Amino acid sequence: MSQVDSAKLLYAVLASDASLVAEVTNVVGEDVVLDMYGPPGLPTEWAIRKGFFFLGGGGPADDKGPIGKETFDFYCYGDDAAEARSVYRKLLACLSRKKHARLTIDGETHIFQYSQKLSGPQDRTEPTEGWQYVFCSFMVHFIETTLP
């Protein structure tokens, strides 16, 4: 058993949702790119299109049981506000009240227990690039260690 990397677990949960993956898969030049990123965020060479990234915001300490709880902030982008909202809706459909998922990552079994929306959607504009995006946050619950 090992300690769970919560961002890696959340990425696996998101990547297992075919509808969400289809929404943020783009053709860039001759490449097909999955524009879904965990920490540290968007690649520096990224250009505006449908996609999102998430960052961990920490969570409450709980010494009563082996359940991890962590807040994640999501930044959903599109070529315009409507596309950003479309990405948000797919993310919401994937995570809203999502319950129990058992995933194998790098040969270890992880348990994602529950997620709930904490805030959003909030329509925003990046101050430097002028890109439109939708901000939201979710609390995710998971078993802190992998299963044997």
Side-chain angles (χ1 to χ4, degrees):
M1 293 191 323
S2 61
Q3 195 70 23
V4 168
D5 177 338
S6 56
K8 194 173 187 178
L9 173 58
L10 179 57
Y11 190 92
V13 168
L14 297 168
S16 70
D17 186 289
S19 181
L20 178 61
V21 167
E23 183 74 5
V24 296
T25 297
N26 298 289
V27 176
V28 180
E30 295 182 14
D31 299 322
V32 176
V33 179
L34 176 58
D35 283 308
M36 181 171 80
Y37 304 96
L42 294 173
T44 54
E45 72 280 356
W46 196 78
I48 191 66
R49 55 185 175 260
K50 283 186 170 183
F52 71 89
F53 74 92
F54 65 89
L55 299 173
D62 183 1
D63 56 2
K64 296 180 186 142
I67 307 300
K69 298 176 192 146
E70 190 168 342
T71 300
F72 287 93
D73 296 329
F74 290 85
Y75 302 78
C76 304
Y77 291 88
D79 285 326
D80 55 30
E83 279 193 359
R85 201 42 99 114
S86 176
V87 172
Y88 163 75
R89 283 193 301 274
K90 293 292 183 178
L91 176 68
L92 180 65
C94 174
L95 283 181
S96 186
R97 302 189 195 285
K98 182 168 186 68
K99 294 185 178 172
H100 195 79
R102 179 183 286 252
L103 297 111
T104 301
I105 304 169
D106 298 331
E108 295 185 300
T109 302
H110 295 69
I111 304 293
F112 180 94
Q113 285 199 307
Y114 183 78
S115 65
Q116 65 191 78
K117 187 173 80 163
L118 296 178
S119 69
Q122 298 172 23
D123 298 308
R124 296 182 178 177
T125 302
E126 290 242 343
T128 55
E129 300 291 341
W131 295 341
Q132 306 242 328
Y133 69 99
V134 176
F135 173 84
C136 63
S137 61
F138 283 83
M139 173 74 76
V140 299
H141 302 238
F142 53 93
I143 303 295
E144 291 179 333
T145 57
T146 58
L147 300 179

